[in-house]
């Protein structure tokens, strides 16, 4: 079911979907919205009311920053009541970070925010951009059997799948199915039709509250990726980064790290200084658990378990929580609890058979 004439707001930020080749360098560069939409004449067949807002100038998403997330969140917030759904056109490189950040910023979201882009520019004969754009607009207009928006969260539509935004990761630089959520099922499968998996869609308990957008993000956070052979001086240098408040520590397997004394000392001294360290696995699938001695040793230093959260969701969640002006204890508590479907808590701490 879709509303009589759905009203959709397209927010064009840039990315390959709207790029054209620079004749001098032969590299792709972002181009304006008129060029993009002129290449999708079929969109008019939908008979939707579609308006647009464009970044000036549109950007390659490698240049995306928290200030741009605020700009997107502002566009959605200011137009929230006037539209049934929102489609954000975005480069693929940092799409999962933007999707994660927006999911935390847009509290009480009850309308679809569908992010899409493409691997080939819209002007190319074999482009995936036309189909992605049209499907994203249809998903943004879809309603459930009660007439409520089918999708009430931030999601990424790419080729055959709709993924929860804060669960997604860019997994391919050239495959049309460029995204995947390794720890959470797809929200919809796109084939001949759009087959929504309603049991997977986010439905926050209705509390009568309006959209509440958080515009404050704190970027005094960083990611440290462990590797065998990391020097004590390197790690201590990173942990002592001036002004740092939160660190996503990417650990091995089920949240394991070296049991060497210098390592656990360096981590626990940092935690004692008041820096929050968030333990996120380097594996794309699975979660942080205290299965091994090496996991116990790290947990004993006071790091916060990230369960099955992605690094993209972890770093943006830290920016959001540090920006919220709450206590360090509250930040630690909220980091390891789901806010909007970004992580799953373990049902049991027994070792899976
Ligand atoms: N570099 C491009 C971007 O992220 C890649 C893409 O859109 O696929 O903007």
């Amino acid at each position: 079911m879709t509303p009589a004439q759905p009203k959709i707001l397209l927010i064009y930020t840039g990315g390959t979907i709207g790029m054209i080749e620079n004749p001098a360098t032969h590299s792709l560069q972002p181009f304006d919205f008129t060029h993009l939409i002129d290449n999708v004449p079929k969109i008019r067949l939908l008979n939707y009311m579609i308006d647009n807002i464009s970044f000036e100038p549109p950007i390659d998403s490698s240049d995306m920053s928290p200030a741009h997330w605020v700009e997107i969140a502002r566009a959605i917030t200011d137009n929230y009541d006037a539209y049934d759904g929102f489609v954000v056109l975005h480069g693929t490189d940092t799409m999962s970070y933007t999707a994660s950040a927006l999911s935390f910023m847009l509290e009480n979201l009850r309308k679809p925010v569908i992010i899409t882009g493409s691997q080939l520019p819209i002007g190319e004969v074999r482009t995936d951009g036309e189909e992605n754009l049209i499907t994203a607009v249809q998903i943004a207009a879809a309603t459930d059997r009660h007439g409520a928006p089918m999708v009430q969260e931030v999601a990424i539509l790419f080729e055959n799948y709709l993924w929860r935004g804060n669960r997604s990761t860019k997994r391919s630089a050239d495959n049309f199915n460029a995204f995947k959520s390794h720890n959470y099922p797809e929200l919809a499968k796109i084939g001949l039709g759009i087959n929504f998996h309603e049991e997977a869609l986010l439905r926050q308990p209705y509390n009568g509250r309006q959209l509440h957008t958080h515009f404050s993000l704190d970027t005094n956070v960083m990611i440290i990726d462990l590797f065998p052979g990391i020097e004590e001086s390197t790690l201590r240098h990173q942990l002592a980064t001036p002004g740092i408040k939160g660190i996503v520590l990417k650990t091995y397997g089920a949240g394991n790290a070296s049991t060497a004394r210098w390592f656990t000392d360096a981590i626990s001294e940092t935690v004692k200084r008041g820096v929050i360290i968030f333990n996120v696995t380097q594996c794309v699938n699975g979660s942080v658990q205290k299965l091994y001695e090496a996991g116990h040793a790290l947990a004993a230093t006071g790091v916060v378990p990230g369960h099955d959260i992605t690094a993209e969701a972890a770093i943006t969640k830290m920016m959001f929580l540090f920006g919220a002006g709450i206590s360090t204890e509250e930040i630690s508590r909220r980091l390891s609890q789901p806010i909007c479907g970004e992580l799953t808590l373990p049902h049991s701490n027994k070792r899976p058979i």
Side-chain angles (χ1 to χ4, degrees):
M1 213 182 4
T2 45
Q5 198 194 24
K7 292 168 80 178
I8 306 297
L9 183 64
L10 281 184
I11 302 168
Y12 174 52
T13 70
T16 296
I17 191 164
M19 289 188 186
I20 55 168
E21 197 179 291
N22 177 327
T25 62
H26 297 292
S27 61
L28 291 172
Q29 60 183 42
F31 207 58
D32 65 26
F33 184 78
T34 315
H35 152 82
L36 188 151
I37 212 71
D38 282 351
N39 276 282
V40 200
K42 273 194 266 176
I43 203 162
R44 290 190 197 96
L45 298 176
L46 288 175
N47 195 27
Y48 294 175
M49 206 198 93
I50 301 174
D51 292 328
N52 69 84
I53 290 179
S54 184
F55 269 25
E56 282 308 334
I59 59 168
D60 186 299
S61 78
S62 311
D63 283 322
M64 196 52 71
S65 69
H68 293 115
W69 299 335
V70 167
E71 201 175 330
I72 301 168
R74 170 68 62 201
I76 293 169
T77 308
D78 289 351
N79 293 285
Y80 192 69
D81 293 333
Y83 292 89
D84 297 304
F86 302 85
V87 172
V88 181
L89 299 173
H90 194 290
T92 58
D93 289 346
T94 60
M95 191 181 283
S96 294
Y97 292 90
T98 298
S100 299
L102 289 176
S103 76
F104 300 121
M105 294 167 81
L106 300 169
E107 189 180 342
N108 300 327
L109 181 69
R110 306 229 175 252
K111 291 188 178 183
V113 174
I114 312 299
I115 311 184
T116 195
S118 67
Q119 293 282 40
L120 283 175
I122 201 96
E124 297 267 331
V125 180
R126 291 181 52 254
T127 186
D128 51 331
E130 184 177 26
E131 196 177 298
N132 284 350
L133 172 52
I134 289 172
T135 309
V137 169
Q138 286 185 306
I139 290 173
T143 51
D144 65 16
R145 71 186 80 86
H146 309 292
M150 179 65 86
V151 178
Q152 303 185 15
E153 58 183 296
V154 180
I156 288 183
L157 177 278
F158 227 85
E159 191 71 0
N160 298 116
Y161 298 96
L162 183 73
W163 304 109
R164 174 162 299 158
N166 58 30
R167 292 285 194 156
S168 69
T169 295
K170 181 174 179 181
R171 64 157 175 187
S172 173
D174 50 29
N175 195 303
F176 282 161
N177 272 308
F179 288 85
K180 188 161 170 69
S181 152
H182 296 275
N183 281 323
Y184 195 78
E186 68 260 22
L187 305 183
K189 176 97 194 345
I190 322 301
L192 290 180
I194 300 169
N195 184 12
F196 289 100
H197 298 174
E198 292 196 40
E199 69 294 344
L201 292 164
L202 190 70
R203 285 292 182 272
Q204 305 266 36
Y206 186 67
N207 53 16
R209 298 223 303 268
Q210 301 297 312
L211 177 74
H212 177 59
T213 307
H214 301 263
F215 292 107
S216 172
L217 297 164
D218 190 331
T219 51
N220 286 301
V221 293
M222 67 188 287
I223 299 178
I224 298 179
D225 222 328
L226 292 182
F227 57 91
I230 189 167
E231 288 285 345
E232 177 174 358
S233 57
T234 309
L235 182 69
R236 284 192 178 275
H237 186 76
Q238 290 177 304
L239 295 173
T241 302
I244 210 73
K245 295 178 183 168
I247 298 170
V248 173
L249 185 68
K250 292 192 72 184
T251 57
Y252 312 126
N256 305 314
S258 168
T259 54
R261 186 64 192 267
W262 70 262
F263 180 85
T264 46
D265 279 355
I267 298 292
S268 64
E269 283 161 25
T270 309
V271 171
K272 284 200 188 92
R273 274 199 343 257
V275 176
I276 298 180
I277 303 188
F278 198 24
N279 184 2
V280 175
T281 174
Q282 292 174 357
C283 297
V284 290
N285 176 239
S287 77
V288 167
Q289 308 161 56
K290 284 187 271 180
L291 282 184
Y292 299 91
E293 204 48 53
H296 274 275
L298 184 59
T301 63
V303 301
V304 177
H307 307 293
D308 60 352
I309 198 168
T310 63
E312 295 91 328
I315 195 76
T316 52
K317 188 173 181 179
M318 276 197 151
M319 289 185 200
F320 160 70
L321 289 175
F322 280 109
I326 51 180
S327 68
T328 310
E329 293 71 35
E330 182 65 2
I331 295 173
S332 296
R333 194 188 65 75
R334 294 187 66 189
L335 271 175
S336 61
Q337 297 291 319
I339 292 178
C340 46
E342 76 280 11
L343 61 83
T344 313
L345 293 172
H347 295 298
S348 135
N349 52 14
K350 284 206 200 96
R351 188 173 184 151
I353 300 162

